[in-house]
Amino acid sequence: MKLSVTFLVLATYISLATAQSQEWGQCGGIGWAGSTTCVSGTVCTVINPYYSQCLPVLTPTTPPSTGPTSTASIPPAPTGSNSNALARAAGKLYFGTATDNSELSDAAYVAILSDNTYFGQLTPANSMKWDATEPEQGVFTFSGGDQIVSQATAHGQIMRGHNCVWYNQLPSWVSNGGFTAAQLTSIIQNHCGTLVSHYKGKIWDVVNEPFNDDGTWRSDVFYNTLGTSYVDIALQAARAADPGAKIYINDYNIEMTGAKATSMLNLVKNLKSRGIPIDGVGLQGHFIVGEVPTSLQSIMQQFTALGVEVAITELDIRMTLPATNALLSQQETDYKNVIAACKAVSGCVGVTVWDYTDKYSWVPSTFSGQGEACPWDANLQKKPAYSGITAAWA
């Protein structure tokens, strides 16, 4: 009887020692007592000191060029003198707009949105964020995002996924979960991997707004639990889920020389030096009339010099109300200057406005007394700003 027990213990020990972790399974980390080897076709990859994971071995891909290219499917270029047609003629991938699900019931709005001579790309303002896609742990809902993808696909428009990891619009189970580093690592990987896999072949804002305005790291559940490694974790999960996706980090107030832009430049350098996948940087472009940074073009060139592409991802230029002819004229100049800066940088792939009409702008509800930030007014009529956009692309 004692001999049988000894053999049983020994067999169990050998079994544990020789077992291999499955793809996506844990294979190491502080406190890990399980297998440290992975099944064929995967490699045990250190994600952070607390968690190593069996990730699929990927075929090396060509590093992203600094020119206006993307692995996202590129629709045929429309012709004419409207904003997207002119952007394509200028060698860019798109001129696009954000939109939201509630707006798709507005027939007059949708008629303009659907015209790909105006817009060659759509970004969902809310329906791909964490609270909309994984409101309960492991329970994914894609109906909102799918609706906007269908809208874009039906009209030959590129989709930009927005976003995987952001400190805001998190369900409470994420922000207040009290997870260990290993647990949160797995949660990020599952969320980003599932989201990017569901929407394959897209451009993705994988990490959104990681920095404070002074260039320090933003304190949130991800940074507080994992430090800066959460960025690696998210980017690697996105790349593993879809090697063909263009993966970005997106932020605001990095459009001008200063501490925040410097921190983002240093982050990109660091990621590239360690082989962490990063294809692009999104400069949001939430500006104020008369205050568009003169260093915008230079900053974009500094990013593209690092081997990543750039895009203006959330452009609007707000003013203190009421609008005057002088303010609208300055806004026209400001839009023209932003577009001209992108046009002048070969690695700037396109510009997205953060909705095209004042009717659905986020500005008035966020900045008291300010508005009129978009190229179309609340009655869906083009403002002088639109003329600035087309003049710059032409």
Side-chain angles (χ1 to χ4, degrees):
M1 183 65 180
K2 288 183 179 179
L3 187 61
S4 298
V5 170
T6 301
F7 274 117
L8 180 60
V9 171
L10 180 60
T12 301
Y13 174 80
I14 293 172
S15 176
L16 287 172
T18 59
Q20 293 182 309
S21 295
Q22 298 300 305
E23 184 174 339
W24 306 111
Q26 188 170 356
C27 57
I30 296 172
W32 174 246
S35 174
T36 56
T37 60
C38 299
V39 296
S40 177
T42 66
V43 62
C44 189
T45 303
V46 176
I47 305 300
N48 57 51
Y50 298 90
Y51 195 86
S52 296
Q53 186 179 37
C54 294
L55 298 181
V57 177
L58 301 177
T59 303
T61 57
T62 303
S65 77
T66 58
T69 59
S70 173
T71 53
S73 177
I74 305 171
T79 59
S81 58
N82 288 336
S83 48
N84 183 53
L86 291 173
R88 293 297 302 273
K92 303 305 179 182
L93 289 182
Y94 59 81
F95 177 80
T97 181
T99 189
D100 214 346
N101 298 78
S102 60
E103 300 163 16
L104 300 182
S105 59
D106 183 337
Y109 168 87
V110 171
I112 299 171
L113 182 76
S114 302
D115 187 339
N116 66 18
T117 68
Y118 284 122
F119 307 111
Q121 174 269 330
L122 300 183
T123 300
N126 290 294
S127 57
M128 290 185 187
K129 291 173 180 173
W130 203 312
D131 60 348
T133 54
E134 194 183 3
E136 299 176 47
Q137 187 169 2
V139 179
F140 286 86
T141 59
F142 298 114
S143 57
D146 289 352
Q147 183 186 19
I148 295 178
V149 170
S150 295
Q151 168 71 25
T153 302
H155 301 98
Q157 295 162 321
I158 294 171
M159 273 297 305
R160 186 181 195 93
H162 180 80
N163 52 59
C164 291
V165 176
W166 185 34
Y167 73 93
N168 207 350
Q169 292 183 237
L170 289 173
S172 60
W173 72 264
V174 178
S175 54
N176 300 322
F179 298 110
T180 65
Q183 289 171 330
L184 190 57
T185 294
S186 181
I187 286 166
I188 293 172
Q189 290 170 328
N190 186 52
H191 181 77
C192 290
T194 302
L195 201 58
V196 173
S197 179
H198 183 81
Y199 297 111
K200 282 192 173 179
K202 306 293 185 282
I203 308 168
W204 268 99
D205 294 326
V206 175
V207 176
N208 197 46
E209 301 175 0
F211 292 116
N212 296 310
D213 279 345
D214 64 0
T216 59
W217 284 86
R218 187 183 296 276
S219 176
D220 59 22
V221 64
F222 306 112
Y223 179 77
N224 294 345
T225 305
L226 294 164
T228 62
S229 71
Y230 85 86
V231 174
D232 298 16
I233 295 163
L235 294 172
Q236 289 172 322
R239 175 64 86 231
D242 181 12
K246 280 286 186 179
I247 55 178
Y248 273 62
I249 300 175
N250 188 53
D251 214 329
Y252 63 90
N253 288 350
I254 58 170
E255 306 91 350
M256 69 286 288
T257 302
K260 193 170 187 178
T262 298
S263 290
M264 186 66 79
L265 286 162
N266 288 337
L267 174 59
V268 172
K269 290 177 189 175
N270 178 269
L271 293 169
K272 299 282 281 186
S273 72
R274 294 185 292 111
I276 305 299
I278 173 70
D279 298 318
V281 173
L283 298 89
Q284 292 183 12
H286 295 296
F287 296 135
I288 298 170
V289 165
E291 299 181 22
V292 171
T294 57
S295 55
L296 174 60
Q297 181 178 326
S298 172
I299 288 291
M300 289 194 289
Q301 289 169 332
Q302 290 177 59
F303 280 115
T304 58
L306 299 178
V308 295
E309 62 186 40
V310 296
I312 306 294
T313 55
E314 304 183 19
L315 178 62
D316 50 31
I317 307 178
R318 65 188 185 270
M319 64 182 70
T320 299
L321 301 175
T324 64
N325 288 336
L327 286 170
L328 291 170
S329 178
Q330 180 63 51
Q331 186 183 56
E332 177 181 2
T333 298
D334 291 341
Y335 267 99
K336 183 177 181 179
N337 288 341
V338 173
I339 299 298
C342 177
K343 184 180 178 181
V345 178
S346 62
C348 181
V349 300
V351 175
T352 305
V353 290
W354 205 244
D355 224 311
Y356 74 85
T357 168
D358 293 328
K359 184 175 183 178
Y360 296 118
S361 173
W362 71 299
V363 168
S365 63
T366 306
F367 300 96
S368 178
Q370 299 185 53
E372 292 275 357
C374 303
W376 275 256
D377 68 19
N379 295 315
L380 305 182
Q381 300 300 305
K382 296 171 187 171
K383 293 155 60 177
Y386 179 79
S387 297
I389 290 168
T390 55
W393 284 136

